[in-house]
Amino acid sequence: MDPLHSSPATPAALGGLRVLDLATLFAGPLAATMLGDFGAEVIKVEHPRRPDPSRGHGPSKDGVGLWWKLLGRNKRTLTLDLSTEGGRATLLRLAATADVVIENFRPGTLEKWNLGWDELHAANQRLILARVTGFGQFGPYAHRPGFGTLAEAMSGFAAITGEPEGPPTLPPFGLADSIAGLATAYAIMTAVTARATTGQGQVVDMAIIEPILTVLGPQPLWYDQLGYVQPRTGNRSTNNAPRNTYRTADGKWVAVSTSAQSIAERVMHLVGRPELIAEPWFATGAERAAHADELDEAVGDWIGRHTRDEVTAAFEKAEAAVAPIHDVREVMADPQYAALDTITEVPDPELGPLRMQNILFRLSATPGAIRWAGRPHGADTDAVLTELGLAEQDIAALRKAGAA
């Protein structure tokens, strides 16, 4: 059965929600993916001659971008040039049928095309417009090009990441974009819930520089009240110890956390250093962190004399917190991830079976699903426009004009 037109076995949590994804790289599209995973109808709108850059981002197989297969899942693909009159008019017709539009153009771009909030709201007063940009819709930086890397730098994340004597460190993946994508999906559903009361849509203004600040914790509060600036501490924490990565006898690595006092005590018993528990400084996480050298030596020495399997088995028996440090090969083989179906198999007509991350969470009554992986550029243009009421000659005219 064609997954694009089949009915789910159980009701979809977001069934009936129609989303137009106009965004690229990566926060906006990820928000649309999250909505699509739980049953929203997502229509990905791409330029006819300049596809979403994620199609060419990172490794590909047989000329097909693999990142797109993940980011484009559960989305129908449509091509429109929004800067043309035909593309503009068609987008407004689509917006009249939609619940949500997600875009990440630089502020003022939609307005330049006469597709700003005023025009979209006039076409559909229930429409929610999610605007995802680096710096938000106003302020001195609003018109700068904005990417997740800049948010990781500006937010304070890079400043606290890395070794104490080393440089600030950026993540090797789209951290700020991903956090903003999840936050945008949450913001959209908040607006959808509000619409049930007000009957009106609204604008979501998501600045990528902001959500990452939230996940960094109380740094602004610490500075405001105490003048405290969190330093770089490598893998250690200023709040507890032992907390670090440790090499095992077979050359592998594990991570240990002792956020709870009881766990810290269990670790000391396990590694044969129970006398440290009696030290006055051992009673609080912050005091233990001040003695991290001594605690790391005790834990690291014991771990270094055992294989990783021995370490994890002993920690589990002692009810202490440890995890192996996996690369992606080990993630794909880990029995806990296998039990959760965290990495699931998706059939794909272009590449055959694909293994990718599953939906973000499990709902008992209205579970989400990956119905299909990212589809070819413009694969659903004719179908979507026909459903919109355009005749074959209308679609041909749009193509001739370069609008579709």
Side-chain angles (χ1 to χ4, degrees):
M1 184 178 291
D2 182 356
L4 271 67
H5 301 98
S6 60
S7 298
T10 56
L14 301 182
L17 191 76
R18 194 174 218 208
V19 179
L20 305 182
D21 175 10
L22 315 185
T24 58
L25 292 179
F26 282 100
L30 179 60
T33 302
M34 298 296 103
L35 301 177
D37 284 352
F38 285 90
E41 179 194 3
V42 180
I43 300 173
K44 176 71 177 181
V45 180
E46 300 174 83
H47 194 282
R49 294 164 295 282
R50 295 191 296 276
D52 188 311
S54 67
R55 291 182 180 274
H57 230 69
S60 62
K61 180 181 178 183
D62 299 335
V64 178
L66 297 176
W67 202 329
W68 168 251
K69 287 296 178 183
L70 175 68
L71 193 65
R73 72 188 189 193
N74 292 335
K75 300 179 184 182
R76 301 170 79 191
T77 58
L78 165 73
T79 57
L80 285 178
D81 182 348
L82 303 183
S83 68
T84 66
E85 182 53 38
R88 173 188 178 275
T90 305
L91 193 280
L92 286 174
R93 287 183 64 169
L94 276 169
T97 72
D99 296 282
V100 180
V101 170
I102 303 174
E103 64 97 0
N104 72 334
F105 300 106
R106 212 178 298 188
T109 302
L110 281 186
E111 286 74 12
K112 179 179 67 176
W113 296 334
N114 294 317
L115 285 171
W117 173 241
D118 290 343
E119 290 82 6
L120 291 170
H121 188 61
N124 181 356
Q125 293 195 359
R126 292 177 57 81
L127 187 71
I128 293 158
L129 174 61
R131 316 195 78 166
V132 186
T133 57
F135 303 104
Q137 294 296 309
F138 57 91
Y141 303 164
H143 290 276
R144 292 182 181 179
F147 297 99
T149 298
L150 309 187
E152 290 145 12
M154 282 182 60
S155 63
F157 172 84
I160 64 168
T161 304
E163 293 300 321
E165 303 304 321
T169 302
L170 295 167
F173 66 101
L175 176 64
D177 271 309
S178 298
I179 296 170
L182 297 174
T184 301
Y186 167 61
I188 288 169
M189 294 315 301
T190 301
V192 169
T193 302
R195 188 181 65 180
T197 301
T198 67
Q200 295 287 311
Q202 59 183 300
V203 177
V204 172
D205 180 4
M206 178 62 67
I208 295 173
I209 61 172
E210 291 184 305
I212 190 171
L213 264 173
T214 297
V215 303
L216 284 172
Q219 286 191 56
L221 184 60
W222 286 339
Y223 180 74
D224 175 65
Q225 295 296 303
L226 303 172
Y228 174 73
V229 178
Q230 184 175 340
R232 285 193 292 282
T233 56
N235 291 322
R236 289 178 171 177
S237 168
T238 56
N239 300 314
N240 65 80
R243 192 264 196 183
N244 213 326
T245 60
Y246 306 91
R247 188 165 185 154
T248 61
D250 51 350
K252 297 179 180 179
W253 292 84
V254 297
V256 172
S257 176
T258 57
S259 295
Q261 180 70 22
S262 60
I263 298 293
E265 293 175 6
R266 290 172 196 165
V267 170
M268 290 303 104
H269 281 291
L270 173 63
V271 302
R273 297 294 302 275
E275 75 280 2
L276 293 176
I277 300 171
E279 295 287 348
W281 49 261
F282 197 88
T284 70
E287 285 294 318
R288 292 200 311 274
H291 292 79
D293 286 345
E294 187 173 356
L295 293 171
D296 275 346
E297 182 180 1
V299 175
D301 180 67
W302 184 90
I303 287 176
R305 291 185 275 110
H306 298 80
T307 66
R308 189 173 72 177
D309 287 347
E310 291 170 343
V311 170
T312 54
F315 268 71
E316 183 174 359
K317 184 177 179 180
E319 298 184 357
V322 72
I325 294 179
H326 283 338
D327 62 19
V328 68
R329 293 167 295 188
E330 294 168 306
V331 168
M332 302 287 270
D334 187 279
Q336 182 61 33
Y337 281 133
L340 296 173
D341 195 28
T342 305
I343 306 296
T344 197
E345 188 170 282
V346 181
D348 182 69
E350 287 187 285
L351 298 177
L354 305 173
R355 286 193 294 165
M356 66 174 66
Q357 298 96 315
N358 209 336
I359 57 175
L360 193 60
F361 50 87
R362 287 164 287 280
L363 295 179
S364 62
T366 54
I370 302 173
R371 290 160 285 158
W372 61 84
R375 288 171 55 72
H377 181 232
D380 304 295
T381 299
D382 284 15
V384 171
L385 296 183
T386 299
E387 292 165 11
L388 193 60
L390 273 69
E392 187 175 333
Q393 59 266 29
D394 298 326
I395 299 172
L398 285 173
R399 284 209 171 94
K400 184 175 181 182

